[in-house]
Amino acid sequence: MNSPTLLVTGATGNIGRALVRRLLEQGARVIAGSPSGQDVDGAPGRIVDYSRPDALARAFDGIDVLFLLLPLVPDKLELAQRALVAARAAGVGHVLRSSGAGADAGSDIALARLQGRIDEAVVSSGLPWTLVRPSTFMQNFVNFHGGMIRSGTVHMSVGDGRTGYIDVEDIAEVDARILLDPASHRGRTYTITGPEALTVREALDTIGEALGRRIEYVPIPESSAVAAMTAMGMDPWSVEILSSLNRATAAGLTAGTTTDVETITGRAPRRFDAFVRDHLAAWR
């Protein structure tokens, strides 16, 4: 019997690339989906264009299991609905949707509300499904805050709120386990976090200690963060989405941790200090 064909959308991004690598290591038949259609680490590429139903029909042709990761854009819900219709028409057997911690269609937080509405669309699609809701990535301290950390001072509008930061590698490991045995996870929702909830101050202290110098943390009001994002040229929708996450963090809504990573993988998720040791070069 042939092994199932897996399509990983968002294959050139943080989660997608790590996920493709893990699936290939397990000998899975993987197709790397992205807007460019490029190959990823030996996995053949396929164009995934959520804006065009005809392109989605080609992208999902012959796919047994779909990893659905959508871009953060104003019409994200509409793109998700279009993808689910195409997946069902193509005969996709299971959808693993990459969502976000705190997803809730009734939330006052814009990002959580959007994620929750998309999750509801997946659940009501008629397709077998699994939802994975990761917390904020540890990699954000490299990819988004790296410049400020190198400068020695970090300005953020999350106050002293705690977050159960998770390593993208742990997210990919969880997703790979599910994609390789989707039937065991059908109809399940997992919220995956790191083992500890840290404030930004605590995270920066960990980085600074490893670097041998102090990283200053300057809490700023949300209005200042909005002004800075606007000055950078961000559109109002994106500013509101990111601001909503900042407000949620400051209010303590991202402080929860779970044991779902260990439940699925059999091991504890990575601690932040271990992540820091492996990424020191990014902050020097």
Side-chain angles (χ1 to χ4, degrees):
M1 181 177 178
N2 291 332
S3 59
T5 300
L6 315 178
L7 174 63
V8 174
T9 63
T12 58
N14 279 327
I15 296 175
R17 190 175 290 276
L19 176 55
V20 167
R21 184 174 66 250
R22 273 172 168 68
L23 291 171
L24 290 173
E25 290 170 352
Q26 296 297 315
R29 297 177 60 185
V30 188
I31 295 174
S34 68
S36 66
Q38 69 188 71
D39 296 352
V40 175
D41 294 336
R46 185 177 291 187
I47 293 175
V48 176
D49 183 350
Y50 292 111
S51 68
R52 295 172 49 204
D54 60 327
L56 287 174
R58 290 191 294 272
F60 296 160
D61 182 42
I63 299 303
D64 299 300
V65 184
L66 170 64
F67 176 74
L68 184 62
L69 193 155
L70 297 149
L72 189 60
V73 292
D75 60 345
K76 183 172 183 174
L77 176 59
E78 290 74 17
L79 298 184
Q81 293 167 331
R82 190 175 297 142
L84 292 166
V85 169
R88 187 169 182 178
V92 171
H94 194 103
V95 174
L96 168 55
R97 142 87 169 145
S98 186
S99 180
D104 177 0
S107 175
D108 293 332
I109 303 300
L111 181 57
R113 184 169 61 251
L114 174 62
Q115 298 282 42
R117 292 179 68 188
I118 295 172
D119 287 354
E120 286 187 343
V122 172
V123 170
S124 63
S125 68
L127 292 159
W129 56 269
T130 306
L131 303 176
V132 172
R133 295 170 170 172
S135 186
T136 302
F137 304 168
M138 293 180 183
Q139 277 74 6
N140 286 1
F141 285 91
V142 173
N143 298 332
F144 298 116
H145 312 316
M148 289 191 293
I149 292 172
R150 288 190 295 273
S151 77
T153 304
V154 173
H155 298 79
M156 291 180 66
S157 61
V158 296
D160 293 321
R162 294 184 176 275
T163 300
Y165 297 107
I166 185 167
D167 192 330
V168 165
E169 296 293 337
D170 284 331
I171 301 173
E173 179 69 17
V174 166
D175 290 335
R177 297 290 185 107
I178 295 170
L179 291 171
L180 292 169
D181 184 19
S184 296
H185 303 277
R186 180 172 178 169
R188 300 291 300 274
T189 298
Y190 300 104
T191 296
I192 56 175
T193 73
E196 57 195 337
L198 302 173
T199 65
V200 169
R201 174 70 275 162
E202 290 168 342
L204 294 177
D205 282 347
T206 301
I207 296 171
E209 182 177 351
L211 289 171
R213 57 185 174 86
R214 180 168 175 79
I215 311 297
E216 297 296 334
Y217 170 49
V218 180
I220 61 174
E222 186 60 27
S223 59
S224 297
V226 168
M229 288 186 281
T230 302
M232 291 168 57
M234 293 179 61
D235 63 272
W237 182 87
S238 297
V239 170
E240 171 54 24
I241 285 290
L242 294 178
S243 294
S244 73
L245 179 57
N246 290 341
R247 293 194 298 272
T249 301
L253 302 181
T254 62
T257 60
T258 75
T259 58
D260 283 354
V261 171
E262 188 167 3
T263 297
I264 296 170
T265 68
R267 60 169 180 78
R270 197 178 198 196
R271 293 181 61 85
F272 189 73
D273 55 358
F275 170 82
V276 168
R277 287 194 296 272
D278 285 347
H279 291 82
L280 285 179
W283 302 305
R284 292 195 187 280

